[in-house]
Amino acid sequence: METPTPSPSLGPGAQAVRLAFWFVVVIALLAAGVWATSNIRRIPADSRAVVMRFGAFVRTQDAGLLIAWPQPFETVLLIPGSARLLEQRISSLDRDPRARASDPAAATATESSQTLPLPLGDISSWGFQPDASAPGSTAPLLPDALAGSGYVLTGDKGVVQLSATLYYRVVDPYAYVLQKERLEAALQRVV
């Protein structure tokens, strides 16, 4: 009867290589598991999710648990829900900061409010000359369009300074995702 020959034991170098191999395999499996579950998430109550597969619209989902393929297969974008009211201040009606800085009445009102003054830069780059008619005046003489910015003349010859805030809701989630980058400028022009 033949006795089986004992297998040779591995040396320390081979054991280290085997241990490193299994360590790399475990790390790779953990990374694959994290990647596979990366688009499983909870959608908050005041939001919606737009799911796009390779950049093409697939579906929208309201609040709750979202299960989607991992990136780059599907991309999930969170947007405001239909119940959330969004607001945007219309800054095109505001007074130009250069005109506000040269107006002494507005300067005292600005100091008393909590808004921070905007940096004006080099005043010589504006292209204006100081008003020579006012003795001791160093305020720049502003062109009419800049000096009157932010004010509107009414029909009864009254001057009114307007300010507006636009409130809106997202009704079509996919259209909002497509136009989100240009939405602020478009709303400024519309108002």
Side-chain angles (χ1 to χ4, degrees):
M1 177 175 225
E2 287 184 33
T3 61
T5 60
S7 62
S9 65
L10 297 174
Q15 288 176 357
V17 168
R18 179 190 293 177
L19 186 61
F21 171 76
W22 286 112
F23 180 73
V24 169
V25 167
V26 168
I27 294 296
L29 289 174
L30 285 174
V34 167
W35 173 74
T37 59
S38 64
N39 267 348
I40 297 175
R41 61 177 79 176
R42 184 182 69 84
I43 307 301
D46 62 343
S47 298
R48 286 190 210 166
V50 174
V51 180
M52 295 190 299
R53 186 174 297 140
F54 297 114
F57 175 74
V58 176
R59 69 181 189 272
T60 62
Q61 184 170 332
D62 289 327
L65 182 66
L66 172 74
I67 300 175
W69 288 98
Q71 286 189 1
F73 304 114
E74 288 186 345
T75 305
V76 177
L77 301 170
L78 289 178
I79 61 168
S82 61
R84 190 188 311 174
L85 190 63
L86 302 172
E87 75 175 66
Q88 179 177 342
R89 180 157 164 57
I90 306 301
S91 61
S92 60
L93 297 174
D94 291 342
R95 190 139 195 235
D96 190 279
R98 296 172 290 183
R100 216 177 344 175
S102 67
D103 186 9
T108 58
T110 304
E111 290 171 2
S112 64
S113 69
Q114 295 179 351
T115 59
L116 298 174
L118 296 173
L120 299 176
D122 183 16
I123 205 166
S124 63
S125 66
W126 296 355
F128 310 126
Q129 299 298 325
D131 186 7
S133 63
S137 174
T138 59
L141 180 63
L142 300 175
D144 291 340
L146 184 60
S149 66
Y151 292 107
V152 178
L153 187 62
T154 63
D156 60 350
K157 298 180 185 172
V159 177
V160 179
Q161 186 172 10
L162 296 178
S163 121
T165 302
L166 179 68
Y167 296 95
Y168 63 96
R169 296 179 196 268
V170 176
V171 177
D172 186 357
Y174 184 60
Y176 180 79
V177 167
L178 289 178
Q179 300 298 324
K180 186 176 182 180
E181 295 172 1
R182 295 177 285 280
L183 182 65
E184 183 177 341
L187 291 175
Q188 292 281 345
R189 283 193 300 271
V190 166
V191 171

